[in-house]
Every structure is written in structure tokens, then in C-alpha cells.
Amino acid sequence: MVTLGCARNEVDSEELAGRLSADGWQLVDADQDADVVVVNTCGFVESAKQDSVDTVLSAADTGAKVVAVGCMAERYGNELAEHLPEADAVLGFDHYPTLASRLEDVLAGRKVESHAPVDRRTLLPITPVQRPKAAEEVSLPGHGWVGGARPVRRRLDDSPLAPLKLASGCDRRCSFCAIPSFRGAFVSRPAEEVLGEAAWLAEQGVRELFLVSENSTSYGKDLGDVRALERLLPRLAAVPGIDRVRVSYLQPAETRPGLVRAIATTPDVVPYFDLSFQHASETVLRRMRRFGSTDSFLALIEQIRGLAPRAGIRSNVIVGFPGETEEDLAELERFLTEARLDAVGVFGYSDEDGTEAAGFDGKLDADTVAERVSRISALVDEVTAQRAEERVGEEVEVLVGQAESDEEDCLGWAAHQAPEVDGECVVTGGSGLAVGDLVRARVVEAAGVDLVVEPLEVLPRDRT
């Protein structure tokens, strides 16, 4: 099983691995001979699509059968199969409940019909939710009610952090984003189902839950409770064995004061805010079909820091959007300078198939977009490094994610850092520490967004 893309895909892969194991398939490591390689593709941006194609080609070179699943396979289906004959099958989300049978067909040389793409927003109503009653009606990754029982999930690594899916799909219609068309309308998982999976993950040694979805601020809307996430967070934090709960992907315009307070002040919920600003110019935001402005975003950040001064705040921005002017870019620079975020991903705009923005006028040439990406990236590097420098001297709690017995230092992440995207902590003199240890430490140095920390004590598991 090879997983590309985001943490939501990681959950999908673990559910597929669980289904396949239950049906008699044996999961092997990447360096072992396999009968079939399942590639869980990403279809988010052009570079991710190319990575997916390259991975399929590399897997085919091993001599194994190759089956492509995931977002790119769902999005392009039979078109991808036509242009990528190295894949023995290209399967969509609706194939997930019967994936074992499809793999058997592939091994036996039987033809497997490629997935036929469909706009998944049409498969389920936005609200109220009508739960599918049988697997053959519709299958959405991460939705345990399909077929009447929660799929078995099998962990694919031994990390002390695990993603936990809150929902699937998105009801927003951002003009640059194709995700709703292949992930479908937003559908929340029932709270008891989420809590049950959290308890199972704790039994597997997980100490930190990373709540993922396409838009976590929408959680519960389709269940008739706009405050569902606020109510769920303390219950997740109280699950035995769980020491930290982290929420990803919040829409600024939907981040209500009650949710801010719940994330900022609930014990064992880390004060971490992954806010999808995307831009700060009102003009650009409206063309993106989004809401907000520099002043409203700064007010939200002030609200957060009023409750949790050392909260981690990260975001992504898109530059070079059609029609973006120098004045718009200057407004984004003003926002980033005043916001002092902990981490920012900077992306240059490119057309995405089937999106509204692909038909917009005012497109900027590639050189202009690249120059603006470089300009904003330089500013981001400066302000995020300053923010990290401000943390020197303070105490942080670091969850160890990488430790070698023959190395003096080990690596982990503090409450304001999400692994792989927000920098990391280098724990000096941590040779006696193990993966999964939660360590109180003092920050002694900053190197860009990374911190160097000295351990003070190892904290007990499940301090509640």
C-alpha cells in the first residue's frame, strides 16, 4: 500500500488495509515482493498528480500488478486508465467495499472495468443527510455506516500521532477548488463513531489525535448541531490514553467564538489553529468565492491570542490568482506582516480542471506568478522565523516522533506544530527518550521554524 497526499488519504489507506486484511490479503513492506501494489493517489494540484503518475510507473517496474485508487483515480477514472496502461486497474471510491475481489480479478487476469467519474456532489444531498443503507448505493471513504458496520482499520505505521477523520466532502464552492466534485458533499461522521475509533487508536498506542476533514468547521451542520465540534473535543480529550487532540483545516469565516474557546482552553486539546485564509484582499477573496478581509482575519487572530497567547496559527495562501493586482498583493503582505503566523504554505495559482476559476479572465503569466510566489515566500520565511525566535526561553511539550538509540538528539513536535508541515523540535541530549514520549522541554534556539529544545522531564501517559 502506497499513500500519497494528505492525512485524509492516510486514513483511507488504513481503512483499505483493514478491509483487505480481513479478506485474507497480507500487507508486505515496500522492500518485499508483492503480488499487487495499491497506490492511493492524490489529485489536488498538478505536482501531486504527477507524483501519483510517477508512483504508479515506479510500482509497475517492480513486476507486481498495480491498482490505482484515491482522489486522482476517482477524479479521472477511465481517462487515467487510457493514458496510463501501466495501471492494471483504476478504481473509484465505490470500489472500496469490494476491493479484495477486484484485486483477485487483477491477479487472475480478468478485466476490471475502470471507474467512470461522476460529480459526487450529486450523490448525497447537502442537508439534511440521508444515510445510505447499503454498500451498493454509495461508498464514501471514512464513512463507517456504509454496509452497516464500521470498516476495520489497520495502522500502517507506529507513530504516536494518528489522523482521525471527522467527515468527508465539502459544501463550499471555492472557485479554485475541485475537491467537492470528487470528494462529494459534506457528510459528518456521528460523534459516537468518531469516539469509538479514537478509543481503538489509543489501544494501538496513539497519544495524539489529528482531526481531519475537508472543512472541520462544518462538522455537525448536517447533523443539526453547529456546535457539535465544540461538544466533541472535550469527549475526545477524555478518551483514556489520549494526551493531545489537534484540529486541522478551519474555515476562518466559520470559526465561531465558541469553537475558538474550545480549542484554546479545553485541557489536552492543543491550542493550534489551522486556518485556511488563502488571501487577504477582499477583491481576490470574493473572486475565490470566499469571505473575509485583512481586518476580520486579524481580529480572529487577536481573539485566539487573547485566550492562548502562545497558540500555534498556520495557514496557506494562493498568489497569482486571476485578476490579482499589485495592490491586492500588498494587502496580503500587510496581513502576513501583522498576523505573525507560525507557518504558512505559499502556492502559485494554476488552473484546475472543472473549476470556475479556470474560466476567469485576468490570468497572470507564469513568470509573474513565480515572482510573486518568491516574494511572498521570502516574507513568510522572515515572519515565521521571527515568531519561532519569540519562543526561545519558553517551555513546550514535545511528543517524540523519531528517536534512535545511538543518537544524542531526537525529533518531535510541540503543541503549536503539526508534523511534517509546521517545523519540528530537535530535542538535544534525548538519547534516553523513546518514540511516543511526551517531554516537557525548554526552547534554547530557533532555526527558521524549527526549535532546539532541552528536555526537562518525561510526562506520564494520559495525564487526565
Side-chain angles (χ1 to χ4, degrees):
M1 178 78 67
V2 181
T3 306
L4 302 170
C6 65
R8 295 180 288 280
N9 257 16
E10 293 176 19
V11 178
D12 292 349
S13 286
E14 293 196 347
E15 290 180 349
L16 289 177
R19 289 181 186 269
L20 291 171
S21 295
D23 286 330
W25 287 82
Q26 179 183 351
L27 191 70
V28 298
D29 293 333
D31 58 353
Q32 296 178 274
D33 290 336
D35 295 305
V36 183
V37 178
V38 178
V39 180
N40 191 351
T41 61
C42 178
F44 181 46
V45 293
E46 200 60 41
S47 60
K49 297 175 196 172
Q50 189 59 54
D51 285 345
S52 295
V53 170
D54 291 345
T55 301
V56 169
L57 295 175
S58 178
D61 287 340
T62 67
K65 300 290 186 180
V66 182
V67 173
V69 298
C71 291
M72 189 176 182
E74 171 69 31
R75 185 174 181 184
Y76 295 105
N78 41 25
E79 178 186 353
L80 178 63
E82 179 181 348
H83 290 88
L84 196 63
E86 291 83 359
D88 295 279
V90 176
L91 306 179
F93 297 153
D94 289 336
H95 289 102
Y96 284 12
T98 59
L99 184 60
S101 296
R102 302 291 74 74
L103 298 193
E104 291 166 7
D105 289 340
V106 167
L107 272 188
R110 294 188 289 269
K111 181 175 175 57
V112 177
E113 290 296 327
S114 298
H115 165 66
V118 61
D119 187 339
R120 298 195 71 88
R121 289 171 296 190
T122 66
L123 299 183
L124 287 173
I126 293 177
T127 185
V129 166
Q130 301 295 320
R131 302 291 186 205
K133 298 187 184 305
E136 60 270 15
E137 290 183 45
V138 60
S139 174
L140 293 176
H143 287 243
W145 55 79
V146 174
R150 181 175 71 83
V152 177
R153 176 175 174 180
R154 173 174 175 169
R155 296 214 67 205
L156 298 178
D157 61 38
D158 58 357
S159 170
L161 174 143
L164 175 57
K165 190 176 292 185
L166 286 174
S168 197
C170 185
D171 287 343
R172 299 185 69 89
R173 295 295 181 265
C174 300
S175 62
F176 56 84
C177 184
I179 288 176
S181 67
F182 57 87
R183 277 284 179 179
F186 188 91
V187 185
S188 303
R189 296 179 70 189
E192 296 306 320
E193 183 177 300
V194 176
L195 289 164
E197 190 162 329
W200 178 84
L201 289 168
E203 292 171 359
Q204 311 307 306
V206 170
R207 297 191 75 172
E208 179 174 326
L209 300 174
F210 188 31
L211 306 184
V212 298
S213 71
E214 276 72 26
N215 178 9
S216 296
T217 39
S218 284
Y219 180 73
K221 282 184 177 180
D222 51 327
L223 302 177
D225 183 3
V226 296
R227 297 184 60 193
L229 184 54
E230 300 170 37
R231 304 181 201 279
L232 179 62
L233 287 174
R235 298 180 68 191
L236 283 170
V239 171
I242 297 302
D243 291 289
R244 299 207 301 203
V245 177
R246 184 184 305 272
V247 184
S248 73
Y249 212 83
L250 304 171
Q251 285 284 354
E254 297 178 10
T255 305
R256 300 168 299 279
L259 181 58
V260 171
R261 181 172 294 278
I263 295 174
T265 65
T266 301
D268 292 342
V269 174
V270 295
Y272 173 83
F273 293 81
D274 176 14
L275 292 160
S276 173
F277 291 120
Q278 303 297 359
H279 211 283
S281 162
E282 287 189 75
T283 303
V284 174
L285 286 167
R286 296 305 174 270
R287 285 175 68 84
M288 288 179 168
R289 303 290 184 230
R290 297 176 68 86
F291 303 95
S293 64
T294 294
D295 291 340
S296 67
F297 291 164
L298 291 175
L300 175 58
I301 291 171
E302 182 179 6
Q303 179 187 3
I304 291 168
R305 289 179 175 153
L307 293 168
R310 311 311 295 171
I313 306 176
R314 68 115 45 225
S315 191
N316 295 312
V317 296
I318 298 173
V319 296
F321 194 78
E324 182 190 64
T325 65
E326 278 292 334
E327 290 75 18
D328 294 325
L329 200 67
E331 185 68 3
L332 177 59
E333 290 175 318
R334 178 172 83 88
F335 167 68
L336 292 171
T337 300
E338 295 185 28
R340 297 166 38 250
L341 303 177
D342 292 274
V344 183
V346 182
F347 298 90
Y349 172 81
S350 62
D351 287 339
E352 277 294 308
D353 297 337
T355 62
E356 182 183 5
F360 282 176
D361 57 10
K363 298 281 179 63
L364 305 180
D365 62 78
D367 289 343
T368 299
V369 173
E371 186 278 327
R372 292 185 178 186
V373 168
S374 178
R375 175 173 156 187
I376 296 299
S377 295
L379 174 60
V380 162
D381 288 345
E382 180 182 350
V383 296
T384 55
Q386 290 173 355
R387 180 69 173 163
E389 190 70 33
E390 292 170 4
R391 296 186 183 276
V392 174
E394 73 179 55
E395 291 187 4
V396 294
E397 292 185 2
V398 178
L399 185 58
V400 177
Q402 181 180 333
E404 303 292 341
S405 58
D406 57 347
E407 295 288 339
E408 279 295 313
D409 300 339
C410 60
L411 302 177
W413 55 92
H416 71 279
Q417 299 169 318
E420 300 181 8
V421 293
D422 296 339
E424 60 191 9
C425 288
V426 179
V427 185
T428 62
S431 58
L433 298 175
V435 171
D437 282 344
L438 189 60
V439 182
R440 186 169 64 87
R442 179 175 290 109
V443 181
V444 296
E445 185 182 346
V449 295
D450 297 332
L451 302 178
V452 179
V453 304
E454 292 180 345
L456 300 175
E457 67 170 326
V458 177
L459 299 171
R461 181 174 287 272
D462 195 14
R463 292 159 293 164
T464 57

